[in-house]
Amino acid sequence: MTLRLQLLALGALTLLLPWAGVQVVRQVEVSLRTGLERSLLDSARARIVATQLDRFYRRGAATSDSADAIYLHTLSRPPTIDGFSADWSFVRDPSAQGRAVRALDLEGGSRLWAGISAGFVYLFIDAVDEEVVNQGVPGEAPHGDRVALVFGGGPTARSALLLANSAPGTFRAQPTSGGPRFEPTGGYHDTAFGAWQDTETGYAIEARLPLRLVGAALGVGIIDSDDRGRSARLAAATWDESGEPVRVVHEQPELNRILAPSSGGGERVRILDGDGWVLADSGAVETVAVSDSGRVSVAERFFRYVLRRDDPEYASHESRPGRIGDPVLRRALDGETATAWYRRGAEASAIVAAAVPIDSEEPGTGAVVLEQASDPILTLANQAMMRLMTLTIIIIVVTAAGLLAYASFLSFRIGRLARAAESALGPGGEIITRVPGTKGRDELGDLSRAFADLLGRLRDYTEYLQSLKSKLSHELRTPLAIVATSLDNLEHELKTRPGRDYLDRLRHGTERLESILQAMTAATRVEQAIADTAHERFDLSAVIASCMKAYGDVYPGQSFRVRLPEEPVLIAGSAELIEQMLDKLIDNAVSFAEAGSEIVVRLRSEADQVRLEVVNRGPELPQAMRHQLFDSLVSVRKGKDEKPHLGLGLYIVMLVAEFHGGRVEAENLADGSGVSIGVVLPRSDARSA
């Protein structure tokens, strides 16, 4: 892992700060929600006592024991009876958002809207019918599509009316003989009328009925007439299996008068009967302002998302229009207190509802539901908490950016030091002591200075080794001359056989020392010649051919095979240095060649370079020494003669090759039978003469 990633991983630990902050905020929100729930429960109990609802219920308030009922919404204004539903949008208060009249879903996709206003019941039926059949002559068959209304039932007398028309427009309700066919009798009702309109999916009927006519029970049935009115079937109905109309439930004026003094403050109070039907409603829940400007900032949106809860939608607490169906709130009908949270709107504002039984000693009497809006962001202790969280996130971002920048800076400095270490050894073997960052006052600066000091010492030692040959040659030449002169004088004085043996040994040792000095001197002269020699263009093939003719005389016991191209091979450099290089290559090959083997010398011309190879059959190169063969004073030969070998021959080959802009290579033959020394040189068109 890189240093940059390590620092970033360390910086990632700062993410624990906002996580811990979020957990604290969640705990604060839980505490605030709990406090708000308790406050609403206490307020709901206080309203029961203040309004004496328990006494009202003990006097015999209307209750219900069945979930099958038609709920009449209290309308803000009576709709126009025209067969269109545009004016069925609001309940009681036209400015109350989210309180539109909910439809009761019937079979086959049909729907029923029901409302009450000023002593009249208003109905809107959206009937789904693939083939609409209008009524013919009222009271005579065939009869068309129609809607049957059934009133009363049980111990009271049952009556029924038909809503039908022969064409779109207004009509009066018609008495009917009753089920199951509900055929018209040909008369009309004076106070019940409606309007018929055809729709894309069937037809719509809007009607107005006196509340005294409807009474306490109402059944709505849609009769579908087929085959031009010759047959009819009940497509959808609200009455039960026995044909009894269901109970009509609506708000009680007396209860609304009881709630009126305690209404307001942005709260909504509803009184439920024993089965959860709303008998009184104080109005809509007012939305809490989220900011002074009424707009939600980006930070507030972010915290809304972080602090979001999986609360159900506010509309889901009613199972049917006008009936509380949330199991949590319905616990109040069994004598227990309950609270529930809901979300509402695109801004995810929260609404808390507290339900308290009217009489906890008598379950099923009814309940009071108190609702209040509470925005999730405003549940924080104050806006300072939000500013603290925002500041924490800013600090984390700045810290992460600073760590990334600092890691990049450190990586850059370490990278420069690494590149300097890789390039400390130049192409000619020179040591470059320039190291970046030596002026730094930190640990990396200390490392750079220590590295520069080490390279300086290594350069001085290398220069000493490079000058050792010339120093030894100079220092040993005079003593050797003295020894040689003395041996010459002793040779005339000593005539005995033992004395001659000692003299021969001394003479042989002196000759070996002289050979060493000559080899060292030759290497020094080559280095000096390279520094002073200018480049000139010549034919490399001709130089090699001339030298190979002489090697046969120099090494009479060795055979050579030469492979040269027919066309001239021009390079830029020094022919004399090439001859010295070839001498060292041939001498090295002869030293390692097996007796009777052949030394192959071949020159190959390529696109922009030439390759000179000298191949001998003999021992392979040691694997560990392959990359050190061309260093000064390095030799791996065991030697077939008594001549001293200092390892300067191939070193001179490398110097000459680099002078010509080339390189030298050494590798074992593929079959393991010998060694190939190759020199790669650029052609004359690749190097200026």
Side-chain angles (χ1 to χ4, degrees), residues 532-614:
D532 300 333
T533 301
H535 287 79
E536 61 181 10
R537 185 173 298 179
F538 62 93
D539 184 5
L540 178 60
S541 179
V543 173
I544 296 175
S546 175
C547 293
M548 293 305 299
K549 293 179 181 179
Y551 293 147
D553 299 332
V554 177
Y555 305 102
Q558 187 68 51
S559 61
F560 298 92
R561 180 156 55 106
V562 183
R563 296 180 180 178
L564 302 175
E566 297 180 356
E567 67 278 0
V569 179
L570 299 179
I571 66 170
S574 172
E576 290 77 7
L577 292 178
I578 291 296
E579 292 176 356
Q580 295 185 44
M581 180 188 73
L582 190 59
D583 290 344
K584 301 303 180 183
L585 289 174
I586 295 300
D587 179 70
N588 180 81
V590 170
S591 299
F592 285 97
E594 296 179 350
S597 64
E598 185 180 55
I599 296 176
V600 179
V601 179
R602 55 173 173 258
L603 179 65
R604 292 184 297 176
S605 178
E606 299 177 356
D608 56 351
Q609 61 186 15
V610 295
R611 179 182 295 271
L612 172 62
E613 295 181 351
V614 178

Side-chain angles (χ1 to χ4, degrees), residues 654-669:
M654 183 195 68
L655 293 178
V656 175
E658 292 180 350
F659 170 76
H660 289 83
R663 66 181 186 276
V664 60
E665 301 171 347
E667 58 183 5
N668 296 319
L669 297 179

Side-chain angles (χ1 to χ4, degrees), residues 138-213:
E140 298 181 6
H143 308 294
D145 296 327
R146 52 200 181 273
V147 173
L149 304 179
V150 180
F151 315 109
T156 62
R158 182 186 302 178
S159 62
L161 291 178
L162 285 181
L163 303 179
N165 202 11
S166 58
T170 60
F171 61 88
R172 286 186 297 169
Q174 305 173 35
T176 177
S177 58
R181 295 179 60 86
F182 293 99
E183 296 178 352
T185 60
Y188 295 96
H189 198 280
D190 295 334
T191 59
F193 65 95
W196 178 295
Q197 294 292 341
D198 292 334
T199 63
E200 295 181 356
T201 58
Y203 59 92
I205 293 178
E206 187 174 19
R208 190 190 78 167
L209 311 170
L211 179 59
R212 57 180 173 78
L213 175 64

